[in-house]
Amino acid sequence: MHLAPAQSGCDPSRPTGCHAALRIAAALVAIAVILAGCTTPAPRPAPRAPSEPTHVPIPPPTLPPPKDIEAIPDAVPRPEPRSARGNPPFYNVLGKRYFVLATADGYHERGVASWYGPGFHEARTSNGEPYDMYAMTAAHKTLPLPTYVQVTNLKNGRSVVVRVNDRGPFKDSRIIDLSYTAAAKLDMLREGTTFVEVRELTPVADVQEESAPATALYVQAGAFSAESNAANLLAQLRSKGISKGFVRADEINGKPMYRVRIGPIPSVPEFDRVLARLKSLGIADAQLALD
C-alpha cells in the first residue's frame, strides 16, 4: 500500500526544501521560548526583617526634687565603726597609689575643694552607701571611712561639717569632693571649686557655728633657713616671668625662716596655673599657704 507523504510543510522533490523548513521551524520554537521567558515574572525575594537599632538611647536619670538647702542640718559627729568597705590599706586609681590613713586623729589640710551632684545621685559610694546629693557628705582619698570633718571656705569664711563616706577626687591639688548641699552652703556651686581648710572632728568636738574671716591665699614655692637661698629662688622665679613673688621672714622656735611666696591668688584656676608652672620648673613641693 502506498501512503501519501506526510504533510511536513516541505516538498520532498526539492532537496533543500525540508532542511530549510525545519531550520525555520526550530528558530520559531526558540523565539517562542525566549519570549515566554521574558514574559514570565521573576520571583520576588522574601521580605527582609527590619534591622535592629545599633544603639538604644538610655533615658536620663530622674533627678530628685529640689529641697530647701538651708533647712538641711550639718552632719553631727558620732562614734561609728570603720566601714567594712572602702578602707583597704592602699588602692590604685589612674596609675597612682593611695594609702588609707590608720586614723583621722589630728588631720588638718588646706587645698582645693570640688563638688559632685545629680550625675552621681543614688550611685554607690566607696563604703557601699547610696550617694545622696542632699546629704552633708564628702569624698576624700585617704581619710578612713567614715570620718567627720569641718570644711571652711577660705574665700568667704563659711564652714560646714560633713561625713566622709566616699573616695575621690582623683585630680591634682583637689583634696576633697563635697556633696551638692555642702557646696551650696559654702557658696561654691557657681565656680565649682574653692580654697578650703579641712579639719578632722572627733565625735566629741564642738562644731564651729560662726563664720571665720576670709583669708589671703598664696602659693609657697619654698622655705629656707638662709635668706640668701630664698633670694636666689625668688630671682629664679622672676627670670622665668613669675613677677608676683616675695620673701616672707618668720621665726620658728627662735630660728629665722624665709618663705618664698607667690600671690595673693584670686581664684582656683590661677592657683592651678601657678602650681603647674612651678612644677614645670622643678619645684614639686609647692603648696597652698595662708597669710
Side-chain angles (χ1 to χ4, degrees):
M1 180 166 78
H2 179 71
L3 297 177
Q7 300 297 316
S8 60
C10 64
D11 186 357
S13 62
R14 299 173 58 189
T16 59
C18 290
H19 295 290
L22 292 174
R23 284 198 297 270
I24 292 172
L28 292 174
V29 172
I31 291 173
V33 171
I34 293 174
L35 291 176
C38 292
T39 57
T40 302
R44 294 183 181 179
R48 298 175 61 185
S51 59
E52 294 293 330
T54 56
H55 174 71
V56 178
I58 299 175
T62 302
L63 300 182
K67 295 185 178 182
D68 182 3
I69 297 299
E70 295 303 322
I72 299 175
D74 279 10
V76 178
R78 60 185 179 86
E80 288 190 70
R82 198 178 181 101
S83 299
R85 297 179 56 181
N87 286 307
F90 63 86
Y91 63 96
N92 298 324
V93 174
L94 300 176
K96 187 173 181 179
R97 177 164 292 181
Y98 299 92
F99 292 87
V100 177
L101 297 174
T103 177
D105 292 348
Y107 172 83
H108 174 216
E109 189 175 7
R110 299 184 183 101
V112 177
S114 50
W115 67 274
Y116 62 129
F120 298 89
H121 188 71
E122 296 184 346
R124 290 290 174 183
T125 61
S126 295
N127 74 342
E129 299 172 351
Y131 171 66
D132 182 354
M133 61 183 284
Y134 292 120
M136 295 297 289
T137 61
H140 193 278
K141 293 185 283 287
T142 59
L143 281 173
L145 304 182
T147 294
Y148 292 86
V149 296
Q150 182 181 56
V151 183
T152 302
N153 186 339
L154 294 176
K155 296 182 69 176
N156 59 26
R158 295 189 180 187
S159 290
V160 296
V161 176
V162 295
R163 178 175 175 268
V164 179
N165 67 345
D166 204 1
R167 293 292 175 213
F170 299 105
K171 184 175 181 180
D172 288 344
S173 81
R174 307 293 191 261
I175 64 171
I176 196 167
D177 227 359
L178 299 168
S179 69
Y180 169 84
T181 296
K185 287 190 171 188
L186 292 179
D187 192 23
M188 57 172 286
L189 288 178
R190 183 175 59 84
E191 293 182 353
T193 55
T194 193
F195 297 108
V196 296
E197 179 180 74
V198 181
R199 193 179 292 271
E200 172 267 341
L201 294 177
T202 62
V204 296
D206 292 330
V207 177
Q208 180 177 343
E209 296 292 343
E210 298 182 358
S211 296
T215 307
L217 307 169
Y218 301 87
V219 173
Q220 182 165 299
F224 305 91
S225 58
E227 185 176 8
S228 59
N229 291 338
N232 289 337
L233 177 57
L234 182 61
Q236 177 188 350
L237 296 178
R238 288 177 175 171
S239 69
K240 300 298 182 180
I242 302 176
S243 59
K244 296 175 64 176
F246 63 95
V247 176
R248 171 175 170 168
D250 291 321
E251 188 174 289
I252 299 179
N253 297 328
K255 297 182 179 180
M257 180 65 64
Y258 301 93
R259 308 179 191 274
V260 180
R261 292 187 172 180
I262 302 166
I265 304 298
S267 65
V268 171
E270 177 68 9
F271 171 75
D272 289 341
R273 188 190 68 79
V274 173
L275 206 63
R277 178 66 172 141
L278 292 177
K279 287 184 178 180
S280 71
L281 297 176
I283 305 173
D285 57 348
Q287 58 185 309
L288 181 68
L290 305 181
D291 188 6

